[in-house]
Amino acid sequence: MTARTVLTVAALTLQEAARRRVLRSLAVMTVVLLALSAWGFSRLDANFGTLTSGEARLAASQVLNLVMFGLSLIAALGTAFLAGPTMAGEIESGTALAMLARPVRRSSVLLGKWLGLVIFGSGFVAVAGLAQFLIVRATVGYWPPQPVTGLALLAAQTAVLLTLGLLLSTVISPMASGIVAVGLFGATWIAGVVGGVGQALGSEGMARVGTVSRMLLPTDGLWRGAMHGFQDPTVLAQFPAFRDFPFLSQAPLTTAYLAWTGLWVVLLLGLAAVVFRRRDL
């Protein structure tokens, strides 16, 4: 019965997400970004005649990572502002009270909404990412070495952020939860860049800033793992001077970090369930 409730709520959440204007906004922003990237990669291809094959692949890797960061930002904005109204909006409107008056566990409703949003975010990342890969393949002939791994990590990044947004939506308003989630996403990315600069300069204190931020909110860590899947490691080895570039990643994610990310999601989802169960509707 609980599993059926979770799946039913997940399906309803998907239908609700498809009806919201957020979906249309996401689609417009994605199409604009893909069009701009197609134009940019076509111009990049015009300049490849003056570059060696290694330099051309390095340039394609960097620009692809930059565009994929734009897609991850669009996904972050969309999921954060979908997760907020999903819980907080229904609590404020009284919809949650009407639904939970029936013999339905609050934790099942929360898990169903989380599952529906994860499917929505993962589907967006897969479709938009694959479209971007095809554009890069058609314009400059570059195909990332680990596309599935990279997209899976981007989908995991989306799941992490929407889990945070769902937790925030159980205690604050929909708009505030979205703003806080996106703000923390941006702050973590900046802290990751600071950490990268610290590593390049040999500053342990600055490097620790990036490490701690990736443990507190794993979005930047997952993003760096995704970048590693999109770039050609053999080319990066030929140009060590570019290893500290913000849109290139030196190493893949470790199993321990992926395990921590999974535990992080479980812990926050459990905390959200506890808060939601105790909240007055």
Side-chain angles (χ1 to χ4, degrees):
M1 180 61 75
T2 301
R4 184 181 300 175
T5 303
V6 170
L7 294 177
T8 301
V9 174
L12 293 174
T13 303
L14 277 173
Q15 294 176 9
E16 180 186 359
R19 287 197 299 267
R20 288 184 182 276
R21 293 182 179 179
V22 174
L23 177 61
R24 279 171 278 178
S25 301
L26 279 177
V28 171
M29 286 191 293
T30 303
V31 170
V32 170
L33 180 61
L34 292 177
L36 288 174
S37 71
W39 178 71
F41 274 104
S42 65
R43 300 306 303 164
L44 187 66
D45 183 57
N47 296 323
F48 271 7
T50 61
L51 302 178
T52 65
S53 61
E55 291 172 338
R57 291 183 68 80
L58 180 64
S61 295
Q62 293 183 44
V63 179
L64 174 61
N65 281 344
L66 177 61
V67 175
M68 293 305 290
F69 179 76
L71 284 178
S72 74
L73 181 59
I74 292 174
L77 288 170
T79 53
F81 283 96
L82 277 174
T86 295
M87 290 304 304
E90 291 186 357
I91 293 173
E92 289 183 354
S93 66
T95 304
L97 178 61
M99 180 170 58
L100 293 172
R102 298 174 177 83
V104 177
R105 292 183 179 179
R106 294 189 182 189
S107 58
S108 299
V109 173
L110 185 73
L111 184 59
K113 289 185 176 296
W114 178 84
L115 180 62
L117 291 173
V118 166
I119 295 172
F120 180 84
S122 300
F124 168 79
V125 168
V127 173
L130 181 59
Q132 181 59 56
F133 293 161
L134 293 175
I135 288 174
V136 176
R137 179 73 174 182
T139 51
V140 299
Y142 179 78
W143 187 260
Q146 298 177 328
V148 176
T149 301
L151 290 181
L153 291 175
L154 280 188
Q157 180 195 48
T158 303
V160 164
L161 195 62
L162 71 86
T163 304
L164 175 64
L166 209 57
L167 169 63
L168 292 172
S169 71
T170 60
V171 292
I172 57 179
S173 67
M175 183 62 72
S177 64
I179 292 173
V180 172
V182 174
L184 290 175
F185 172 84
T188 306
W189 183 78
I190 293 174
V193 173
V194 172
V197 173
Q199 287 181 341
L201 298 177
S203 172
E204 293 185 4
M206 291 178 64
R208 194 175 298 116
V209 171
T211 303
V212 172
S213 66
R214 288 169 202 149
M215 295 301 290
L216 294 176
L217 182 60
T219 51
D220 184 63
L222 291 169
W223 158 242
R224 293 182 181 281
M227 280 198 300
H228 192 270
F230 299 145
Q231 68 196 31
D232 189 337
T234 60
V235 174
L236 186 59
Q238 299 174 15
F239 301 93
F242 287 88
R243 287 181 178 176
D244 299 317
F245 190 73
F247 290 100
L248 289 174
S249 180
Q250 297 184 32
L253 296 182
T254 63
T255 304
Y257 187 79
L258 292 174
W260 161 247
T261 301
L263 179 62
W264 188 96
V265 170
V266 172
L267 289 175
L268 257 69
L269 198 57
L271 181 60
V274 171
V275 174
F276 185 47
R277 187 168 62 242
R278 295 180 177 181
R279 176 162 182 176
D280 293 332
L281 301 178

PDB file of all heavy atoms in Angstrom, residues 236-253:
ATOM      1  N   LEU A 236      43.981  16.383 -21.918  1.00  0.00           N
ATOM      2  CA  LEU A 236      44.317  17.215 -20.765  1.00  0.00           C
ATOM      3  C   LEU A 236      45.719  16.897 -20.269  1.00  0.00           C
ATOM      4  O   LEU A 236      46.434  17.788 -19.802  1.00  0.00           O
ATOM      5  CB  LEU A 236      43.297  16.979 -19.645  1.00  0.00           C
ATOM      6  CG  LEU A 236      43.427  17.878 -18.411  1.00  0.00           C
ATOM      7  CD1 LEU A 236      43.299  19.345 -18.800  1.00  0.00           C
ATOM      8  CD2 LEU A 236      42.388  17.517 -17.371  1.00  0.00           C
ATOM      9  N   ALA A 237      46.128  15.624 -20.387  1.00  0.00           N
ATOM     10  CA  ALA A 237      47.482  15.251 -19.960  1.00  0.00           C
ATOM     11  C   ALA A 237      48.551  15.905 -20.829  1.00  0.00           C
ATOM     12  O   ALA A 237      49.678  16.122 -20.380  1.00  0.00           O
ATOM     13  CB  ALA A 237      47.623  13.726 -20.005  1.00  0.00           C
ATOM     14  N   GLN A 238      48.191  16.258 -22.079  1.00  0.00           N
ATOM     15  CA  GLN A 238      49.156  16.901 -22.968  1.00  0.00           C
ATOM     16  C   GLN A 238      49.333  18.389 -22.658  1.00  0.00           C
ATOM     17  O   GLN A 238      50.314  19.003 -23.083  1.00  0.00           O
ATOM     18  CB  GLN A 238      48.710  16.745 -24.426  1.00  0.00           C
ATOM     19  CG  GLN A 238      48.617  15.311 -24.892  1.00  0.00           C
ATOM     20  CD  GLN A 238      48.033  15.203 -26.287  1.00  0.00           C
ATOM     21  OE1 GLN A 238      47.952  16.195 -27.023  1.00  0.00           O
ATOM     22  NE2 GLN A 238      47.606  14.008 -26.668  1.00  0.00           N
ATOM     23  N   PHE A 239      48.344  18.954 -21.939  1.00  0.00           N
ATOM     24  CA  PHE A 239      48.395  20.394 -21.651  1.00  0.00           C
ATOM     25  C   PHE A 239      48.227  20.609 -20.142  1.00  0.00           C
ATOM     26  O   PHE A 239      47.168  21.047 -19.674  1.00  0.00           O
ATOM     27  CB  PHE A 239      47.295  21.143 -22.416  1.00  0.00           C
ATOM     28  CG  PHE A 239      47.371  20.978 -23.908  1.00  0.00           C
ATOM     29  CD1 PHE A 239      46.655  19.966 -24.555  1.00  0.00           C
ATOM     30  CD2 PHE A 239      48.166  21.821 -24.669  1.00  0.00           C
ATOM     31  CE1 PHE A 239      46.723  19.804 -25.925  1.00  0.00           C
ATOM     32  CE2 PHE A 239      48.241  21.667 -26.041  1.00  0.00           C
ATOM     33  CZ  PHE A 239      47.524  20.664 -26.674  1.00  0.00           C
ATOM     34  N   PRO A 240      49.277  20.293 -19.345  1.00  0.00           N
ATOM     35  CA  PRO A 240      49.155  20.407 -17.886  1.00  0.00           C
ATOM     36  C   PRO A 240      48.872  21.823 -17.408  1.00  0.00           C
ATOM     37  O   PRO A 240      48.355  22.006 -16.301  1.00  0.00           O
ATOM     38  CB  PRO A 240      50.516  19.901 -17.389  1.00  0.00           C
ATOM     39  CG  PRO A 240      51.442  20.043 -18.558  1.00  0.00           C
ATOM     40  CD  PRO A 240      50.610  19.820 -19.772  1.00  0.00           C
ATOM     41  N   ALA A 241      49.198  22.834 -18.220  1.00  0.00           N
ATOM     42  CA  ALA A 241      48.970  24.220 -17.798  1.00  0.00           C
ATOM     43  C   ALA A 241      47.482  24.523 -17.645  1.00  0.00           C
ATOM     44  O   ALA A 241      47.110  25.484 -16.963  1.00  0.00           O
ATOM     45  CB  ALA A 241      49.599  25.188 -18.801  1.00  0.00           C
ATOM     46  N   PHE A 242      46.607  23.713 -18.269  1.00  0.00           N
ATOM     47  CA  PHE A 242      45.159  23.954 -18.217  1.00  0.00           C
ATOM     48  C   PHE A 242      44.464  23.150 -17.122  1.00  0.00           C
ATOM     49  O   PHE A 242      43.241  23.197 -17.023  1.00  0.00           O
ATOM     50  CB  PHE A 242      44.527  23.613 -19.579  1.00  0.00           C
ATOM     51  CG  PHE A 242      44.825  24.612 -20.647  1.00  0.00           C
ATOM     52  CD1 PHE A 242      45.970  24.493 -21.429  1.00  0.00           C
ATOM     53  CD2 PHE A 242      43.993  25.696 -20.874  1.00  0.00           C
ATOM     54  CE1 PHE A 242      46.263  25.416 -22.427  1.00  0.00           C
ATOM     55  CE2 PHE A 242      44.276  26.622 -21.865  1.00  0.00           C
ATOM     56  CZ  PHE A 242      45.419  26.487 -22.643  1.00  0.00           C
ATOM     57  N   ARG A 243      45.222  22.410 -16.300  1.00  0.00           N
ATOM     58  CA  ARG A 243      44.589  21.532 -15.308  1.00  0.00           C
ATOM     59  C   ARG A 243      43.780  22.303 -14.272  1.00  0.00           C
ATOM     60  O   ARG A 243      42.835  21.772 -13.691  1.00  0.00           O
ATOM     61  CB  ARG A 243      45.659  20.688 -14.609  1.00  0.00           C
ATOM     62  CG  ARG A 243      46.230  19.597 -15.496  1.00  0.00           C
ATOM     63  CD  ARG A 243      47.266  18.778 -14.773  1.00  0.00           C
ATOM     64  NE  ARG A 243      47.776  17.705 -15.623  1.00  0.00           N
ATOM     65  CZ  ARG A 243      48.734  16.878 -15.283  1.00  0.00           C
ATOM     66  NH1 ARG A 243      49.316  16.994 -14.094  1.00  0.00           N
ATOM     67  NH2 ARG A 243      49.136  15.926 -16.110  1.00  0.00           N
ATOM     68  N   ASP A 244      44.189  23.540 -13.976  1.00  0.00           N
ATOM     69  CA  ASP A 244      43.489  24.317 -12.950  1.00  0.00           C
ATOM     70  C   ASP A 244      42.419  25.226 -13.535  1.00  0.00           C
ATOM     71  O   ASP A 244      41.895  26.083 -12.831  1.00  0.00           O
ATOM     72  CB  ASP A 244      44.510  25.157 -12.163  1.00  0.00           C
ATOM     73  CG  ASP A 244      45.524  24.282 -11.453  1.00  0.00           C
ATOM     74  OD1 ASP A 244      45.109  23.268 -10.865  1.00  0.00           O
ATOM     75  OD2 ASP A 244      46.718  24.610 -11.499  1.00  0.00           O
ATOM     76  N   PHE A 245      42.101  25.055 -14.828  1.00  0.00           N
ATOM     77  CA  PHE A 245      41.034  25.857 -15.437  1.00  0.00           C
ATOM     78  C   PHE A 245      39.698  25.486 -14.791  1.00  0.00           C
ATOM     79  O   PHE A 245      39.423  24.304 -14.561  1.00  0.00           O
ATOM     80  CB  PHE A 245      40.988  25.572 -16.939  1.00  0.00           C
ATOM     81  CG  PHE A 245      40.101  26.494 -17.703  1.00  0.00           C
ATOM     82  CD1 PHE A 245      40.463  27.809 -17.944  1.00  0.00           C
ATOM     83  CD2 PHE A 245      38.866  26.052 -18.183  1.00  0.00           C
ATOM     84  CE1 PHE A 245      39.634  28.661 -18.651  1.00  0.00           C
ATOM     85  CE2 PHE A 245      38.026  26.898 -18.894  1.00  0.00           C
ATOM     86  CZ  PHE A 245      38.418  28.208 -19.129  1.00  0.00           C
ATOM     87  N   PRO A 246      38.848  26.507 -14.453  1.00  0.00           N
ATOM     88  CA  PRO A 246      37.603  26.215 -13.721  1.00  0.00           C
ATOM     89  C   PRO A 246      36.662  25.259 -14.428  1.00  0.00           C
ATOM     90  O   PRO A 246      35.853  24.598 -13.774  1.00  0.00           O
ATOM     91  CB  PRO A 246      36.970  27.601 -13.561  1.00  0.00           C
ATOM     92  CG  PRO A 246      38.100  28.568 -13.685  1.00  0.00           C
ATOM     93  CD  PRO A 246      39.060  27.956 -14.630  1.00  0.00           C
ATOM     94  N   PHE A 247      36.743  25.155 -15.764  1.00  0.00           N
ATOM     95  CA  PHE A 247      35.829  24.277 -16.488  1.00  0.00           C
ATOM     96  C   PHE A 247      36.536  23.034 -17.016  1.00  0.00           C
ATOM     97  O   PHE A 247      36.176  22.496 -18.068  1.00  0.00           O
ATOM     98  CB  PHE A 247      35.132  25.036 -17.609  1.00  0.00           C
ATOM     99  CG  PHE A 247      34.142  26.054 -17.090  1.00  0.00           C
ATOM    100  CD1 PHE A 247      34.491  27.385 -17.036  1.00  0.00           C
ATOM    101  CD2 PHE A 247      32.908  25.667 -16.615  1.00  0.00           C
ATOM    102  CE1 PHE A 247      33.592  28.326 -16.532  1.00  0.00           C
ATOM    103  CE2 PHE A 247      32.018  26.583 -16.102  1.00  0.00           C
ATOM    104  CZ  PHE A 247      32.356  27.919 -16.054  1.00  0.00           C
ATOM    105  N   LEU A 248      37.537  22.580 -16.272  1.00  0.00           N
ATOM    106  CA  LEU A 248      38.181  21.291 -16.515  1.00  0.00           C
ATOM    107  C   LEU A 248      38.375  20.611 -15.167  1.00  0.00           C
ATOM    108  O   LEU A 248      38.567  21.281 -14.147  1.00  0.00           O
ATOM    109  CB  LEU A 248      39.530  21.470 -17.225  1.00  0.00           C
ATOM    110  CG  LEU A 248      39.486  21.923 -18.692  1.00  0.00           C
ATOM    111  CD1 LEU A 248      40.888  22.199 -19.202  1.00  0.00           C
ATOM    112  CD2 LEU A 248      38.804  20.890 -19.574  1.00  0.00           C
ATOM    113  N   SER A 249      38.327  19.290 -15.154  1.00  0.00           N
ATOM    114  CA  SER A 249      38.442  18.542 -13.898  1.00  0.00           C
ATOM    115  C   SER A 249      39.617  17.575 -13.991  1.00  0.00           C
ATOM    116  O   SER A 249      39.794  16.904 -15.009  1.00  0.00           O
ATOM    117  CB  SER A 249      37.149  17.768 -13.626  1.00  0.00           C
ATOM    118  OG  SER A 249      37.254  17.051 -12.426  1.00  0.00           O
ATOM    119  N   GLN A 250      40.405  17.499 -12.914  1.00  0.00           N
ATOM    120  CA  GLN A 250      41.625  16.704 -12.960  1.00  0.00           C
ATOM    121  C   GLN A 250      41.385  15.214 -12.740  1.00  0.00           C
ATOM    122  O   GLN A 250      42.107  14.379 -13.277  1.00  0.00           O
ATOM    123  CB  GLN A 250      42.600  17.214 -11.903  1.00  0.00           C
ATOM    124  CG  GLN A 250      43.049  18.637 -12.115  1.00  0.00           C
ATOM    125  CD  GLN A 250      44.089  19.059 -11.096  1.00  0.00           C
ATOM    126  OE1 GLN A 250      44.889  18.262 -10.630  1.00  0.00           O
ATOM    127  NE2 GLN A 250      44.076  20.324 -10.725  1.00  0.00           N
ATOM    128  N   ALA A 251      40.406  14.855 -11.919  1.00  0.00           N
ATOM    129  CA  ALA A 251      40.258  13.444 -11.537  1.00  0.00           C
ATOM    130  C   ALA A 251      38.780  13.074 -11.423  1.00  0.00           C
ATOM    131  O   ALA A 251      37.934  13.946 -11.162  1.00  0.00           O
ATOM    132  CB  ALA A 251      40.966  13.193 -10.199  1.00  0.00           C
ATOM    133  N   PRO A 252      38.442  11.786 -11.616  1.00  0.00           N
ATOM    134  CA  PRO A 252      37.049  11.355 -11.414  1.00  0.00           C
ATOM    135  C   PRO A 252      36.697  11.323  -9.941  1.00  0.00           C
ATOM    136  O   PRO A 252      37.571  11.409  -9.069  1.00  0.00           O
ATOM    137  CB  PRO A 252      37.035   9.953 -12.028  1.00  0.00           C
ATOM    138  CG  PRO A 252      38.438   9.474 -11.857  1.00  0.00           C
ATOM    139  CD  PRO A 252      39.322  10.671 -12.013  1.00  0.00           C
ATOM    140  N   LEU A 253      35.412  11.206  -9.648  1.00  0.00           N
ATOM    141  CA  LEU A 253      34.969  11.137  -8.260  1.00  0.00           C
ATOM    142  C   LEU A 253      35.324   9.779  -7.657  1.00  0.00           C
ATOM    143  O   LEU A 253      35.316   8.762  -8.348  1.00  0.00           O
ATOM    144  CB  LEU A 253      33.457  11.353  -8.179  1.00  0.00           C
ATOM    145  CG  LEU A 253      32.952  12.723  -8.616  1.00  0.00           C
ATOM    146  CD1 LEU A 253      31.444  12.809  -8.446  1.00  0.00           C
ATOM    147  CD2 LEU A 253      33.626  13.838  -7.826  1.00  0.00           C
TER     148      LEU A 253
END
